[in-house]
Every structure is written in structure tokens, then in C-alpha cells.
Amino acid sequence: MPASVIVDALWGDSGKGKTCAYLARKHDAQLAVRAGIGTNAGASVTLESGELIKARQLPTGWLNPGTKVAVGSGVLVDPRVFADELERYGLGDRAMIDPRCAVISEQHIADEQADQHLRKQVGSTCTGNGYARADFALRRAQQARDIPELAPYLGDVAAEANRVAADPDGLVLIESSQGTMLSLALSEDYPYTTSGNCTTASALNDVGLNWRHLDEVIMIVKALPTRVGEGPLPYEISTAEAERRGIAEYGVVTGRPRRKAEAIDADTLRYAAMLNGPTRIALTFCDHLDPAIRGQRGSAAIGPEVRRVIGEVEQATGAPVTLLDTGPRLDDVIDLEG
């Protein structure tokens, strides 16, 4: 398996980080690379010990001891967030940043927090990513190679990813961010989008990976979709209803309540599959659909409601569901591939 892309079908917050960590451990991946916009989206993984891992800059593949982690050149870097994750998780000897990454400055963050359009109309996280991306497009942003404290971690991530992927025994996991339906140039919901695209093709571009090395596209589908910020959400339920059912969620970056839907919109899912070309599906947050499956790790626990959704997702995407996420812990997974 030379290279696999992990991409979100809908509006994000679906468990891409957990999936990346699970696959890195299962296959002892050599390299995990972060694609996507930057630090405006986070991943959280709960270990068997109960420890909660949160990350915004680095991919969670480092939870496998033998996996190195990197940030692709198309991803924005916040040196403060990067340094914090290195220190918290002891990743100084396993992390690489591409020197061509644009840098989020403190001024970018301040400008976004003062931008009423982004804060109130769009519902942005206001973490400086949009302003930094705009400055990069205008060729006036700093790059990682301009920041002295990043110098020990700089390396050509595109070259490394292609080198590992060219090895028949190697595996590169590319962890995308946010979700396909938040894509700047592909969503119907503009301006309620992020500042770039969040598809398979954009993830390859963020990393600089030759498409010929791509072996798998693992598309994450959240059993009960969520959305943070403004924009339409089909089949949305109220926050009170989500709390009553015990399925309320809160954002990793902002702590804001995630708006919750009670079903997957089939037309939206078909469109996401058309854009991403999934070879297989990970169906996540199955315990929000059926509480009885929570924490289960064997296929005998799959009940009729989850089986119904599996069938609907496979019909809409044309790809098999091979992973079921059943709870918050890293190993709360039913792996239908074994």
C-alpha cells in the first residue's frame, strides 16, 4: 500500500485523526503527512488509558511508535501550535515541516478575530488561516524556512513522501482536514466554507505526492453528520435534542457546540463520492446512531440500524464500508477487513 488518503465526505469533525492513528498502528506506516488548510481544524483521540490526545498541526499517525510525521508544503504552519505539540507529545525527533509552508503570524490571528464578516456571518474559527492563505497568494507571507526556531525540523516533505510511497514495503498516510462540503471552490454553500478545497485531489496537492503512488482513498462518513459555524445542514436537530440523546459534541479548536443531523443526506454523499473517488469507507460515530454498539470491537455487535446505514452508504458511494468507529477510544473499532 504505497499511499492512502484519508478524506472527510461531509463537513468535518468525523474522526479522520482516529482513523489515521488506527491505520498507522495496524500497518506500521512509515510516514503520516498532514494535508488540508492549517490549524483551523483539530483531531482528538482517546487512548485506552483514557488520556485525550488533541492535535491541530501534526497528523495523529505518531501514535504508532514507528511512524514519522510531517506537514505538507500546502498546509499553513503556526509555529506556536507546532512547538506545543512537539513538547506535549515528545515528537522532536519524528517531525518534519516542509520549508515552503506558509506561516500563520500573530497578526493574522488578530486580524481574523477583528473581522466581523468572518466571525459573525461565516462562523470562522478565526485562527488566522484565511488571512495567512490570502497573504501567501499575494506572495507576502513568511514561509517556514524564514522562521529560525523551525530550522531543525525542515525537510522536503514532497520528496520524502514520494520516496516512501515508491518503496513497495512503505506506506504513506495522508490525513486531510475539515470536509469535502466545506471546500472553497466546490461547495454550494459559499461563503460558509473554509479557505481551500478538502478533497482527495487537494490533499495530494498539499503534500506534493505523485498521483501514481495513490493506492487507497479512505473516505470518512459520519453516521450522524455535524457542522460547526454557519451554512445549511440537512436533517438538523436542535442542540437540546442532541443533549437529550446524549450525542452532543463540541469543537476541538473552539469548543463551540457542533450542530447535529439525525441522518445522512444521500445526494450530498453521492456528490462527495464523485469528487473523492473512495475505494473504501470508514463509518464513524456509530455509537451515536446505536448506543448498543458503543465500545464494541467485533462484528457480532452490529445491529440492524447500523447495518441499514452501512447499506445506504455503500449504495450512495459505490465503495465498501470496512471500518466502523464505535466509541471514543482508539481501539473502539470494528475492522471488517480483519
Side-chain angles (χ1 to χ4, degrees):
M1 296 192 297
S4 299
V5 170
I6 301 165
V7 64
D8 185 302
L10 300 170
W11 297 278
D13 301 314
S14 62
K16 293 181 294 299
K18 176 179 175 177
T19 303
C20 181
Y22 177 83
L23 293 174
R25 295 200 316 171
K26 178 181 178 180
H27 300 294
D28 194 22
Q30 289 178 251
L31 180 66
V33 188
R34 177 70 145 71
I37 308 303
T39 57
N40 56 340
S44 61
V45 180
T46 302
L47 305 184
E48 290 299 294
S49 65
E51 179 185 359
L52 178 63
I53 301 296
K54 290 186 177 182
R56 294 169 53 195
Q57 187 73 82
L58 291 167
T60 54
W62 63 264
L63 284 165
N64 177 57
T67 300
K68 294 183 178 180
V69 291
V71 180
S73 64
V75 180
L76 298 165
V77 169
D78 185 325
R80 295 156 295 276
V81 175
F82 176 71
D84 174 66
E85 292 181 12
L86 284 188
E87 182 179 356
R88 275 190 291 140
Y89 303 126
L91 300 176
D93 61 345
R94 295 169 58 192
M96 178 190 296
I97 289 179
D98 196 289
R100 296 162 290 196
C101 291
V103 170
I104 300 169
S105 69
E106 292 185 11
Q107 188 61 51
H108 290 139
I109 297 171
D111 287 343
E112 283 200 3
Q113 291 177 346
D115 190 316
Q116 296 302 304
H117 169 72
L118 288 178
R119 289 187 66 183
K120 293 186 176 180
Q121 182 176 348
V122 176
S124 168
T125 60
C126 293
T127 47
N129 287 258
Y131 271 68
R133 185 167 287 270
D135 271 356
F136 195 32
L138 293 169
R139 276 83 76 196
R140 62 191 183 198
Q142 287 186 300
Q143 291 180 292
R145 57 188 165 197
D146 301 319
I147 308 299
E149 56 265 37
L150 295 180
Y153 310 104
L154 299 182
D156 189 330
V157 172
E160 180 66 4
N162 281 283
R163 182 192 69 78
V164 173
D167 181 349
D169 297 322
L171 172 61
V172 178
L173 292 173
I174 299 175
E175 182 188 323
S176 186
S177 72
Q178 299 176 283
T180 297
M181 292 301 133
L182 295 175
S183 293
L184 179 67
L186 291 168
S187 173
E188 294 289 340
D189 300 343
Y190 180 89
Y192 309 116
T193 65
T194 190
S195 53
N197 287 342
C198 306
T199 60
T200 300
S202 59
L204 292 178
N205 190 57
D206 290 338
V207 172
L209 186 76
N210 185 324
W211 67 270
R212 293 178 184 274
H213 293 312
L214 182 61
D215 185 63
E216 282 194 317
V217 176
I218 301 149
M219 192 167 75
I220 312 296
V221 178
K222 197 170 188 177
L224 297 182
T226 55
R227 184 168 189 163
V228 174
E230 303 302 319
L233 177 63
Y235 305 109
E236 184 171 2
I237 61 175
S238 67
T239 301
E241 176 64 12
E243 290 175 348
R244 186 189 69 78
R245 296 189 195 181
I247 57 173
E249 300 177 48
Y250 301 89
V252 173
V253 175
T254 65
R256 292 182 295 181
R258 292 173 181 162
R259 298 158 54 203
K260 194 90 175 179
E262 61 182 352
I264 301 167
D265 182 70
D267 290 338
T268 303
L269 186 56
R270 275 191 288 269
Y271 198 79
M274 177 194 72
L275 293 174
N276 289 299
T279 57
R280 58 189 180 114
I281 304 294
L283 185 65
T284 60
F285 288 79
C286 291
D287 55 316
H288 287 195
L289 181 67
D290 177 10
I293 204 174
R294 187 176 180 85
Q296 296 296 319
R297 301 175 184 184
S299 59
I302 305 173
E305 184 69 2
V306 173
R307 290 193 183 278
R308 175 186 65 81
V309 173
I310 289 172
E312 292 173 353
V313 167
E314 290 183 337
Q315 183 176 26
T317 63
V321 173
T322 61
L323 286 176
L324 299 177
D325 163 49
T326 64
R329 296 181 188 263
L330 180 54
D331 289 322
D332 287 346
V333 172
I334 297 174
D335 191 337
L336 298 177
E337 285 195 325

